């Protein structure tokens, strides 16, 4: 009989995973923090009739931190959730954007837009597949320049 004790945990899919007792389970992933985020857009304004364009604030003074694991962004329709995700993923034009987003305490690298991603609101995924299966499908159908030498499955595993 073995004297080794095992810790049994459940992962996000409910599957059991075992680790030797005393070994710390390390959470992989980055910590994203955002400080004094303010985003505004210009609306209206037509030069023909002399109307001036107005600015509309979409996000006002957002501060927070997202640690590895499950995070949620919730709010009413039109509250700026998609704009906020675009800012975190470096997909918004910096015009009208103030504040800073840090990845593990450092500014976003120039290629962060290529390193980050999320499923947009209007994206079509198969409702009968699990999240992992949808990611595997996406990775297997991605253009060749987005694949690496380790194969498509490696990319879907990195998303966890």
């Amino acid at each position: 009989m073995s004297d080794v004790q095992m810790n049994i945990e459940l992962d996000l899919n409910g599957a059991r995973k075992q680790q030797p007792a005393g070994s710390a389970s390390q959470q992989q992933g980055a910590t994203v923090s955002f400080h004094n985020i303010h985003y505004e857009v210009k609306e209206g304004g037509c030069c023909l009739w002399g109307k001036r364009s107005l600015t509309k604030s979409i996000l006002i003074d957002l501060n927070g931190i997202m640690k590895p694991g499950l995070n949620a962004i919730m709010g009413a329709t039109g509250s700026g959730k998609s704009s906020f995700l675009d800012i975190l993923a470096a997909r918004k034009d910096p015009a009208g954007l103030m504040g800073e987003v840090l990845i593990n305490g450092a500014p976003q690298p120039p290629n962060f837009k290529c390193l980050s991603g999320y499923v947009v609101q209007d994206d079509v995924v198969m409702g009968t597949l699990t999240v992992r299966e949808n990611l595997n499908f996406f990775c297997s159908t991605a253009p060749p320049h987005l694949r690496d030498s380790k194969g498509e499955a490696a990319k879907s595993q990195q998303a966890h």
Side-chain angles (χ1 to χ4, degrees):
M1 187 114 136
S2 173
D3 291 337
V4 177
Q5 289 186 324
M6 299 294 282
N7 287 338
I8 298 175
E9 297 179 17
L10 296 179
D11 68 12
L12 293 177
N13 293 326
R16 292 172 59 155
K17 55 182 182 177
Q18 297 181 356
Q19 298 180 2
S23 70
S25 67
Q26 293 181 345
Q27 187 77 287
Q28 292 183 346
T31 297
V32 178
S33 61
F34 44 97
H35 309 275
N36 304 314
I37 299 294
H38 185 92
Y39 182 62
E40 58 187 27
V41 295
K42 291 184 179 180
E43 63 177 15
C46 178
C47 301
L48 297 176
W49 293 284
K51 292 183 181 178
R52 298 172 68 169
S53 63
L54 302 172
T55 58
K56 178 180 181 182
S57 292
I58 305 296
L59 302 170
I60 302 170
D61 197 29
L62 292 183
N63 295 282
I65 187 167
M66 293 183 169
K67 295 183 179 180
L70 183 64
N71 292 277
I73 299 172
M74 300 185 296
T77 302
S79 63
K81 299 177 298 293
S82 295
S83 295
F84 180 54
L85 279 172
D86 285 341
I87 289 167
L88 292 179
R91 297 183 187 278
K92 279 286 187 207
D93 182 358
L97 176 60
M98 293 169 273
E100 89 182 317
V101 177
L102 302 176
I103 311 301
N104 291 330
Q108 293 170 314
N111 65 341
F112 188 71
K113 183 177 181 178
C114 299
L115 301 173
S116 66
Y118 63 92
V119 178
V120 294
Q121 190 170 343
D122 299 329
D123 203 17
V124 177
V125 295
M126 297 175 138
T128 57
L129 299 180
T130 66
V131 172
R132 184 183 306 266
E133 290 168 336
N134 272 298
L135 286 170
N136 284 334
F137 175 77
F138 169 77
C139 291
S140 67
T141 59
H145 72 278
L146 294 178
R147 299 180 193 172
D148 64 6
S149 61
K150 295 178 185 174
E152 297 81 23
K155 287 198 182 293
S156 67
Q157 292 300 320
Q158 290 174 354
H160 301 337

